[in-house]
């Protein structure tokens, strides 16, 4: 929950400070149903994966897609539908981000081959063993081309503030 909230809140606050909606965001899940955070609190999703796929293939595609995961990332890192969607979105020019342990999902999709990425220090040994082609670091966040990754906890806040800073100096 903390990685999700610290990624979303800077965008909301930036919109408030700017006085208009510069950043649009939506929450999506495979089925469009709420997904429980590791705390058990359900996070509502308004868009399912088929609808998001249509949006990505349209002329009005999202600029970014951030994947957020937590402790049971291995379950999703093997989801072929999700991995194919992430690869398609990336090929179409959508910038892809991984929050918390979602670097595992991005690596399973092949997006981190030869790329710098951030992973939580607790996950670094297992991650580098499983994904030797990723250039992984225990940093707060890494941006390499069109791929954005950050460690867990409040690291997404730092990454999002950096992105907002690029947009608005």
């Amino acid at each position: 929950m903390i990685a999700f909230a610290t990624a979303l809140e800077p965008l909301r606050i930036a919109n408030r400070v700017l006085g208009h909606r510069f950043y649009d965001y939506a929450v999506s899940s495979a089925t469009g149903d709420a997904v429980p955070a590791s705390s058990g609190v359900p996070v509502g999703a308004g868009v399912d994966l088929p609808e998001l796929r249509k949006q990505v293939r349209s002329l009005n595609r999202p600029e970014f897609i951030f994947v957020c995961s937590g402790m049971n990332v291995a379950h999703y890192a093997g989801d072929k539908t999700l991995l194919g969607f992430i690869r398609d979105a990336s090929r179409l020019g959508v910038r892809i981000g991984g929050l918390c342990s979602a670097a595992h999902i991005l690596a399973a999709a092949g997006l981190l081959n030869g790329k710098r990425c951030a992973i939580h220090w607790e996950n670094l040994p297992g991650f580098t063993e499983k994904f030797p082609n990723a250039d992984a670091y225990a940093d707060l966040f890494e941006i390499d081309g069109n791929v954005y990754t950050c460690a867990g906890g409040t690291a997404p806040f730092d990454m999002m503030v950096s992105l907002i800073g690029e947009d608005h100096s």
Side-chain angles (χ1 to χ4, degrees), residues 59-71:
L59 294 176
N60 193 24
R61 71 178 51 95
E63 187 176 341
F64 281 97
I65 292 176
F66 286 97
V67 180
C68 186
S69 64
M71 293 183 291

Side-chain angles (χ1 to χ4, degrees), residues 42-87:
V43 176
V47 178
D48 64 12
L49 196 55
E51 177 59 30
L52 187 56
R53 185 180 296 275
K54 286 181 198 171
Q55 291 174 15
V56 165
R57 290 181 175 166
S58 74
L59 294 176
N60 193 24
R61 71 178 51 95
E63 187 176 341
F64 281 97
I65 292 176
F66 286 97
V67 180
C68 186
S69 64
M71 293 183 291
N72 60 352
V73 67
H75 172 76
Y76 298 101
D79 184 323
K80 292 182 184 207
T81 302
L82 175 62
L83 300 179
F85 166 74
I86 291 169
R87 283 190 294 271

